[in-house]
Amino acid sequence: MPNCTYLSKEEKSAPGYKVGKERLTLLFGANASGDLNVKPLLVYLAENPRAFKGIFKSQLPVIWKSNKKAWVTLMVFKDWFNDHFVPAVERYRALKGLPFKVLLVLDNGPGHRANLSNMHPNVKVVYLPPNTTSLIQPMNQGVFANFKAHYLRRTIPSALRAVEGNKLTLKQFWKGCNIADAVKNIACAWDEVKMTTLNGAWKKMCPQFVNSFEGFEQAEDVETLTRKIVGLNKRLKLDLETEDVTELLASHGEQLSSEDLIEVEKQMIE
């Protein structure tokens, strides 16, 4: 939840408060046409959370990986590349009758090392220049924000049903949310990101890739979704304004500290 809500404020004012350590990392991929969105990679802190009792992780709508920091390490990324990305692209290529020539555009994340360029003869890997992610990286041009807006719009009605049905207080509902709920909402929200959004994200980097999409269902823009989210939050009696939601949608997780980066480097050397 945004930091301004009473839920966050109450948690921070509680005796012995410590910042919550629970987190997950998501990796999204899609092609420039917008008609191939790769199954999301999710990295969580635990390999077998209690919320997945009786659930096979191979049947999840995400690619499940884990490590104690919920990081996309080099090993996690290589597994995603070889066992998930390449097969997904191969299936798409065969379906469309296209030659197997792939250009994979990556940012300069710690898990994206230069030696990835030699991992497959038909996949050329190129890296965006440092400090340009927010300016030209396609996923940063509205895709992340659109996904997170859909995620919030799916989560908040669940809270409303619980609260308005007098089943739970809002705090009880929020404390009861677990990683299984998150995975379900992540998959649904990613499916709701439209082809037009995925294609339009290339406008700054390669405008020649962007199509007009006449006759296609147009995606709801982030501003429209934000207004709906604020309206839902008002029904929950949360003190949430448009700028609070905008700030939340623009955030993509904490940057790694110097200590974190050193640890990542150690893992890569090992």
Side-chain angles (χ1 to χ4, degrees):
M1 291 294 288
N3 290 329
C4 64
T5 64
Y6 75 82
L7 286 172
S8 298
K9 290 176 181 177
E10 281 186 12
E11 187 181 31
K12 289 179 181 178
S13 63
Y17 168 78
K18 292 183 179 179
V19 177
K21 297 290 184 183
E22 189 162 21
R23 62 183 293 178
L24 60 84
T25 300
L26 288 168
L27 182 151
F28 291 118
N31 66 349
S33 300
D35 60 346
L36 172 63
N37 54 343
V38 182
K39 190 177 183 179
L41 168 69
L42 187 153
V43 188
Y44 189 58
L45 300 165
E47 175 62 23
N48 296 299
R50 280 180 291 181
F52 285 163
K53 187 176 181 180
I55 298 174
F56 292 104
K57 292 194 288 292
S58 60
Q59 297 176 349
L60 293 174
V62 298
I63 302 161
W64 181 270
K65 297 293 176 183
S66 66
N67 58 60
K68 64 180 182 179
K69 298 261 187 175
W71 285 345
V72 179
T73 63
L74 183 60
M75 291 300 294
V76 168
F77 190 85
K78 281 186 173 181
D79 176 85
W80 171 83
F81 180 90
N82 290 317
D83 298 342
H84 301 281
F85 172 74
V86 171
V89 171
E90 172 62 16
R91 290 190 296 270
Y92 174 84
R93 177 208 66 80
L95 182 67
K96 297 289 185 177
L98 299 170
F100 195 0
K101 292 183 178 181
V102 179
L103 183 68
L104 176 60
V105 181
L106 297 174
D107 64 14
N108 276 268
H112 306 164
R113 298 297 287 233
N115 61 355
L116 293 171
S117 299
N118 303 319
M119 287 178 63
H120 195 284
N122 300 104
V123 180
K124 179 177 176 59
V125 180
V126 295
Y127 300 88
L128 296 176
N131 305 315
T132 61
T133 298
S134 62
L135 301 175
I136 60 174
Q137 186 204 41
M139 286 292 173
N140 253 301
Q141 308 310 310
V143 177
F144 289 148
N146 192 272
F147 159 78
K148 291 176 77 172
H150 282 299
Y151 182 93
L152 274 178
R153 193 175 64 166
R154 296 191 66 85
T155 305
I156 295 169
S158 299
L160 271 171
R161 286 191 294 272
V163 173
E164 292 181 345
N166 295 318
K167 299 174 186 175
L168 299 168
T169 66
L170 182 57
K171 186 186 292 186
Q172 288 170 333
F173 168 82
W174 219 258
K175 286 188 175 295
C177 288
N178 57 42
I179 185 63
D181 300 317
V183 166
K184 180 180 178 181
N185 285 337
I186 285 165
C188 292
W190 183 230
D191 284 341
E192 287 185 289
V193 177
K194 300 294 183 187
M195 184 176 174
T196 47
T197 299
L198 295 170
N199 176 248
W202 289 80
K203 188 173 182 180
K204 288 187 179 180
M205 187 173 177
C206 297
Q208 68 272 26
F209 290 171
V210 181
N211 301 309
S212 62
F213 284 106
E214 292 182 13
F216 277 82
E217 182 184 357
Q218 294 297 309
E220 287 185 282
D221 59 30
V222 173
E223 289 77 15
T224 301
L225 289 167
T226 297
R227 287 194 296 271
K228 291 181 178 180
I229 291 166
V230 171
L232 288 168
N233 275 283
K234 297 295 184 188
R235 288 175 60 187
L236 282 171
K237 298 180 172 58
L238 292 176
D239 185 19
L240 198 67
E241 301 299 334
T242 301
E243 51 269 26
D244 300 318
V245 177
T246 301
E247 181 182 353
L248 182 66
L249 299 184
S251 65
H252 300 149
E254 300 171 4
Q255 295 295 315
L256 296 182
S257 66
S258 298
E259 291 77 14
D260 290 337
L261 291 169
I262 290 170
E263 189 168 335
V264 170
E265 190 68 28
K266 285 180 181 177
Q267 290 184 16
M268 291 175 176
I269 292 170
E270 290 170 1

